[in-house]
Amino acid sequence: MSLIVQKFGGTSVGSIERIEQVADKVARFKAEGHSIVVVVSAMSGETNRLIALAKEVQPRPVPREMDALVSTGEQVTSALLSMALSARGVKAKSYNGSQVRILTDATHTKARIREIDNERLQADLDQGFVLVVAGFQGVDENGNITTLGRGGSDTTAVALAAALKADECQIYTDVDGVYTTDPRVVDGARRLDRITFEEMLEMASMGSKVLQIRAVEFAGKYNVPLRVLHSFEEGPGTLITKEDKSQMETPTIAGIAFNRDEAKLTVLGVPDMPGVAHRILGPIGEANIEVDVIVQNIAEDNTTDFTFTVGRLDLDRAEEILQEVARELNAEEVRADSKIAKISVVGVGMRSHVGVASQMFAALAEVGINIQMITTSEIKISVIIEEKFLELAVRCLHSSFGLEKEPYDESTA
Amino acid sequence: MSLIVQKFGGTSVGSIERIEQVADKVARFKAEGHSIVVVVSAMSGETNRLIALAKEVQPRPVPREMDALVSTGEQVTSALLSMALSARGVKAKSYNGSQVRILTDATHTKARIREIDNERLQADLDQGFVLVVAGFQGVDENGNITTLGRGGSDTTAVALAAALKADECQIYTDVDGVYTTDPRVVDGARRLDRITFEEMLEMASMGSKVLQIRAVEFAGKYNVPLRVLHSFEEGPGTLITKEDKSQMETPTIAGIAFNRDEAKLTVLGVPDMPGVAHRILGPIGEANIEVDVIVQNIAEDNTTDFTFTVGRLDLDRAEEILQEVARELNAEEVRADSKIAKISVVGVGMRSHVGVASQMFAALAEVGINIQMITTSEIKISVIIEEKFLELAVRCLHSSFGLEKEPYDESTA
């Protein structure tokens, strides 16, 4: 008998019919003898309805009141699911964030969890109750309602799993697991049985929007086994855990992530002297523009070229700032390019396998794709290429690293 | 500078436009220098929407979960009104029942308030905040959300006024005060400037459904001056206070209440012996049927007739029970009559004025109305008459007691 935390998102509980289906599923798990904590989001559309009401009253609503308002959405779902379970003869109790008590800091609309009291929950679990916890919310030390920001329900689930030392935290969603890459781009994309927290972080941050990065970080930190599953289809999903060092054969590459939300900015002919990077990126940071890849190559003739990427929506603003900076620095020119894409191969296995980078570059060269920028980390190699080559690049890399095949087919072959 | 608690019901906050109007009103009071606590109901329709969702999931929802569910309605309004006040430059904070902390017993869906912590509220009031409290809800000592039952927001307002020692508790509603009788029945019905708690209780229980009986009882118990006002029209409303003994001239009669929701049952030829009343009413009480007027006259030939009234909806069930009882008692016959009405003249002044009863009976006799039953209390005389004479009776009594005239016109005349 194990303790499982199960999280159902907004579309999984988006109607009474869906709530009934979730209740059926939870009841089945309970009947198998597990202890269950369910974390729910607001019914899909509800949060947006509440936000729209708020904006009618106050265009930029007071964050404290916004939290009091939108947190009701999850409370409604938790009460309804608890009723649906009772209707099935399953003892259940709803909890909101303040009842649990999920103590957070006081940063309204994007609070961070500090501590979870698990005493009441544990007592109810011991009595055989299924607990249905309203996700996304907590309470600060002064009793003000807080919310955890976008995707906060995933974080609630992982935090509860950590606090209760759950055996597994299951995130139910509209996909049946984490894939080697986007199946809409590559037909042969394959569901992964396992992936490490680190790999998942790199995959998630690149746009495989299955899980919130923050929840994965949290799960990694507290070593909570996380499983991504489909809400209404059967299947094992993908288990996200720490690296299994006992496993002889680690697949080199877990998957290929990509992203077309970025744009590239280059300052050409920047004087090669200390402090230049800061003078360029300082004003960008002050304008609250996030920078991703940064590349500066060696200088020639005492000048260098400085290139970085920003979110595509920030491009115009960033370029404006950069024109000003370029004048001050006596740089030659500023070039902006929004037609780029970023592709990353991700895998903890590359730590012990040389040649991943060269295999990647060779595969791209073979189909004639030019690499504009390269950046690497311990478990990831990313390249920036022209956007129009994105699908071609993903497909050729997927095939080059043999991702369409089960890794153990390979090792036993 | 005084401390005022203001309560706005569901229709007063039924749309964003209405919430804006309420915010304007509250802001004006605040600008006059008052300290303000606002208690709000759910936006009209919202509670019913939530109940409907619950019933889809579970025909008879678990009361604990029902409370968790419906209490969100008031929380939404309190957050929105607080935002609307902020948008007007008025510092405001929303509170739900658990945040205040309105401690209740654990009787879900009809909890009773035990205690209110006013520490946090007082601290916020001292800092100049307008507090917007979600009505109708509290929390039990185990942190479970409770609700106070129908009209509970009135009770929340009065309880907060008592706890904070407010100067006045204002109940905003869709009428501009308490009337001498229903203006739809008597053209000359007049808004009362003042009425006592006791009179209001008698008026309210008879169907002047302006205020919840429970809230009036609470206000009387803690001597909280209560004022009924129109939400969106200016006017002094009606002040409900304890009897003002310093006032030389107390009007004899405050008003005329009536009720056509009752039905009459008579057991004829009941043996006149001890314990008969109990044997008749015991089974009625056990069936959870409320009994109002009870009349038993002196016996003739060792038998008596026993008559009482019940809610009209309970008539059939009560008659069935009574037939059984009548057989056991060897009574002659059971008669049921649903075509009755109850009319009451109410006024603390009748304590010191003899002749109110005879004036009432004379007035009814003059227009040929037969009285079926009579019952009296210290400040009320009620009669049961045939329903078809109701309007005529109310009009003739209203005129006979001179209620269309201001009481002080009379004393200065």
Side-chain angles (χ1 to χ4, degrees):
Chain A
M1 191 175 116
S2 45
L3 170 56
I4 303 175
V5 176
Q6 304 186 313
K7 181 255 169 178
F8 292 90
T11 51
S12 305
V13 293
S15 66
I16 292 296
E17 199 195 340
R18 289 261 163 123
I19 289 174
E20 306 261 15
Q21 283 178 272
V22 168
D24 287 336
K25 193 180 207 56
V26 173
R28 277 199 304 277
F29 271 91
K30 181 67 186 161
E32 285 168 15
H34 300 294
S35 285
I36 314 234
V37 177
V38 186
V39 175
V40 288
S41 301
M43 293 170 77
S44 55
E46 178 63 5
T47 306
N48 288 341
R49 183 184 77 90
L50 293 169
I51 292 173
L53 285 177
K55 298 212 159 162
E56 267 191 77
V57 171
Q58 194 177 22
R60 277 189 296 170
V62 180
R64 178 188 184 278
E65 301 307 334
M66 200 63 178
D67 282 353
L69 182 74
V70 298
S71 64
T72 61
E74 285 76 21
Q75 185 168 323
V76 165
T77 318
S78 64
L80 290 174
L81 179 55
S82 175
M83 289 175 191
L85 285 166
S86 297
R88 283 157 180 76
V90 176
K91 279 166 64 180
K93 261 192 188 179
S94 74
Y95 275 88
N96 67 23
S98 132
Q99 287 176 310
V100 167
R101 173 182 190 234
I102 297 177
L103 182 69
T104 71
D105 61 23
T107 319
H108 285 291
T109 76
K110 38 182 189 284
R112 297 248 147 196
I113 296 176
R114 280 196 182 154
E115 198 183 303
I116 291 184
D117 287 358
N118 56 12
E119 212 175 299
R120 283 188 68 190
L121 296 183
Q122 193 60 62
D124 278 341
L125 283 173
D126 292 346
Q127 285 185 47
F129 281 96
V130 169
L131 308 184
V132 188
V133 178
F136 176 66
Q137 58 189 263
V139 66
D140 73 10
E141 57 187 0
N142 293 313
N144 298 303
I145 296 167
T146 54
T147 64
L148 307 178
R150 198 152 275 281
S153 292
D154 286 355
T155 309
T156 302
V158 173
L160 282 169
L164 293 163
K165 299 182 178 49
D167 296 285
E168 195 168 289
C169 178
Q170 302 178 336
I171 308 286
Y172 287 88
T173 165
D174 56 356
V175 295
D176 68 347
V178 180
Y179 274 69
T180 50
T181 194
D182 188 337
R184 286 169 302 187
V185 171
V186 180
D187 282 340
R190 186 174 47 80
R191 183 185 52 73
L192 293 160
D193 282 326
R194 291 177 85 105
I195 186 171
T196 70
F197 293 121
E198 292 160 293
E199 288 167 339
M200 187 64 207
L201 280 176
E202 298 290 3
M203 295 291 278
S205 64
M206 292 294 286
S208 306
K209 300 199 177 78
V210 176
L211 267 175
Q212 284 304 114
I213 292 184
R214 209 168 135 198
V216 180
E217 282 173 351
F218 212 111
K221 188 170 168 191
Y222 292 97
N223 195 20
V224 174
L226 205 58
R227 191 182 291 274
V228 175
L229 300 130
H230 196 285
S231 300
F232 304 113
E233 289 167 17
E234 295 301 314
T238 298
L239 182 65
I240 308 161
T241 55
K242 64 178 176 179
E243 200 174 339
D244 185 355
K245 302 225 162 108
S246 70
Q247 205 173 311
M248 292 286 288
E249 195 80 19
T250 307
T252 314
I253 300 300
I256 295 166
F258 58 85
N259 178 347
R260 42 183 130 210
D261 299 335
E262 292 187 22
K264 187 179 70 169
L265 283 157
T266 303
V267 195
L268 291 162
V270 181
D272 182 34
M273 56 185 186
V276 161
H278 176 69
R279 286 186 62 187
I280 293 173
L281 293 182
I284 299 288
E286 278 159 29
N288 253 324
I289 297 171
E290 276 187 47
V291 170
D292 181 22
V293 183
I294 304 169
V295 171
Q296 185 191 336
N297 220 327
I298 51 159
E300 275 176 58
D301 308 326
N302 293 324
T303 68
T304 185
D305 302 336
F306 191 95
T307 305
F308 60 94
T309 64
V310 296
R312 212 171 269 190
L313 295 175
D314 290 327
L315 180 63
D316 290 350
R317 219 152 40 96
E319 190 183 354
E320 219 170 278
I321 294 167
L322 226 51
Q323 292 291 5
E324 177 70 27
V325 173
R327 255 194 306 282
E328 286 169 16
L329 285 174
N330 251 327
E332 266 169 42
E333 193 188 342
V334 172
R335 278 189 202 156
D337 182 1
S338 67
K339 298 230 170 347
I340 60 156
K342 179 171 152 184
I343 300 181
S344 306
V345 295
V346 174
V348 293
M350 72 172 71
R351 284 199 202 110
S352 51
H353 286 73
V354 292
V356 171
S358 59
Q359 185 177 345
M360 180 181 187
F361 304 152
L364 293 173
E366 213 164 278
V367 291
I369 297 173
N370 188 39
I371 297 170
Q372 300 182 355
M373 292 166 82
I374 299 170
T375 175
T376 62
S377 79
E378 222 190 330
I379 66 160
K380 182 181 73 168
I381 303 166
S382 304
V383 297
I384 302 288
I385 61 169
E386 233 185 304
E387 186 183 8
K388 67 180 179 194
F389 295 125
L390 173 68
E391 287 82 0
L392 175 63
V394 174
R395 276 194 294 267
C396 90
L397 290 172
H398 197 270
S399 149
S400 166
F401 287 103
L403 291 175
E404 65 284 355
K405 288 175 290 194
E406 290 287 335
Y408 300 106
D409 291 358
E410 209 177 352
S411 65
T412 54
Chain B
M1 191 178 115
S2 44
L3 171 56
I4 302 175
V5 175
Q6 304 186 313
K7 181 256 168 178
F8 292 90
T11 52
S12 304
V13 293
S15 65
I16 292 297
E17 198 194 343
R18 289 259 162 126
I19 289 174
E20 307 260 14
Q21 283 178 273
V22 168
D24 287 336
K25 193 181 210 50
V26 172
R28 277 199 303 277
F29 272 91
K30 181 67 187 162
E32 285 168 15
H34 300 295
S35 285
I36 316 241
V37 176
V38 185
V39 174
V40 289
S41 301
M43 293 171 78
S44 55
E46 179 63 5
T47 306
N48 289 340
R49 183 183 77 88
L50 292 169
I51 291 173
L53 285 177
K55 298 212 158 159
E56 267 191 78
V57 171
Q58 194 178 23
R60 278 189 295 171
V62 180
R64 178 188 185 277
E65 302 307 332
M66 200 63 177
D67 282 354
L69 181 73
V70 298
S71 64
T72 61
E74 285 76 20
Q75 184 168 324
V76 165
T77 318
S78 65
L80 289 173
L81 179 56
S82 174
M83 289 174 190
L85 286 165
S86 297
R88 283 156 180 77
V90 176
K91 278 165 66 179
K93 260 192 190 181
S94 73
Y95 274 88
N96 66 23
S98 132
Q99 287 176 310
V100 166
R101 179 183 187 233
I102 297 178
L103 183 68
T104 71
D105 61 23
T107 319
H108 285 292
T109 76
K110 39 182 187 285
R112 299 246 145 197
I113 296 176
R114 280 199 182 149
E115 198 184 303
I116 292 184
D117 287 358
N118 56 12
E119 209 175 299
R120 282 188 70 190
L121 296 182
Q122 192 61 61
D124 278 341
L125 283 173
D126 293 346
Q127 284 184 47
F129 281 96
V130 168
L131 309 184
V132 188
V133 178
F136 175 66
Q137 59 188 260
V139 66
D140 74 9
E141 58 185 2
N142 292 315
N144 298 303
I145 296 168
T146 54
T147 65
L148 308 179
R150 198 151 274 282
S153 292
D154 286 357
T155 309
T156 303
V158 173
L160 281 170
L164 293 164
K165 298 181 178 48
D167 297 283
E168 197 168 287
C169 178
Q170 302 178 337
I171 308 286
Y172 288 87
T173 166
D174 55 357
V175 295
D176 68 347
V178 181
Y179 274 67
T180 50
T181 195
D182 188 337
R184 285 168 303 185
V185 171
V186 180
D187 281 343
R190 186 175 47 78
R191 184 185 52 73
L192 294 159
D193 282 326
R194 290 176 85 103
I195 186 170
T196 69
F197 292 121
E198 292 160 293
E199 288 167 339
M200 187 64 207
L201 280 176
E202 298 290 3
M203 296 290 278
S205 64
M206 292 293 287
S208 306
K209 298 196 177 79
V210 176
L211 267 175
Q212 284 305 113
I213 292 185
R214 207 166 136 202
V216 179
E217 281 173 351
F218 212 110
K221 187 169 169 193
Y222 293 97
N223 196 18
V224 175
L226 205 57
R227 191 182 291 274
V228 174
L229 300 129
H230 196 287
S231 299
F232 303 114
E233 289 167 16
E234 294 301 314
T238 298
L239 182 65
I240 309 162
T241 56
K242 65 177 174 182
E243 200 175 338
D244 185 354
K245 302 224 161 108
S246 70
Q247 205 173 311
M248 292 286 286
E249 195 80 21
T250 306
T252 313
I253 300 300
I256 295 167
F258 58 85
N259 178 347
R260 43 183 131 209
D261 299 335
E262 292 188 20
K264 188 178 71 168
L265 283 157
T266 303
V267 194
L268 292 162
V270 180
D272 182 32
M273 54 184 187
V276 161
H278 176 67
R279 286 186 61 187
I280 293 173
L281 294 181
I284 300 288
E286 276 160 29
N288 254 323
I289 296 172
E290 276 187 47
V291 170
D292 183 20
V293 182
I294 304 170
V295 170
Q296 184 189 337
N297 221 327
I298 51 160
E300 275 175 59
D301 308 324
N302 292 325
T303 67
T304 185
D305 302 335
F306 192 94
T307 306
F308 60 92
T309 63
V310 297
R312 211 170 271 190
L313 295 174
D314 291 326
L315 180 63
D316 291 349
R317 217 150 41 95
E319 190 183 353
E320 219 170 278
I321 294 167
L322 228 48
Q323 293 290 8
E324 177 70 27
V325 173
R327 256 194 306 281
E328 287 169 16
L329 285 175
N330 250 329
E332 266 168 41
E333 191 187 344
V334 172
R335 279 189 201 156
D337 182 1
S338 67
K339 297 231 170 346
I340 59 158
K342 178 170 153 185
I343 301 181
S344 307
V345 296
V346 174
V348 294
M350 71 171 72
R351 284 199 202 110
S352 51
H353 286 73
V354 291
V356 170
S358 60
Q359 185 178 343
M360 181 181 187
F361 304 153
L364 293 173
E366 212 164 279
V367 291
I369 296 174
N370 188 41
I371 297 171
Q372 301 182 355
M373 292 166 83
I374 299 171
T375 176
T376 60
S377 79
E378 222 191 332
I379 66 161
K380 181 181 74 170
I381 303 167
S382 304
V383 297
I384 302 288
I385 61 169
E386 235 185 300
E387 187 183 8
K388 68 179 178 194
F389 294 125
L390 174 68
E391 287 82 0
L392 175 62
V394 174
R395 275 194 294 265
C396 90
L397 290 171
H398 198 270
S399 150
S400 166
F401 287 101
L403 290 174
E404 65 285 356
K405 290 175 291 196
E406 290 286 336
Y408 301 106
D409 292 357
E410 207 177 355
S411 66
T412 53

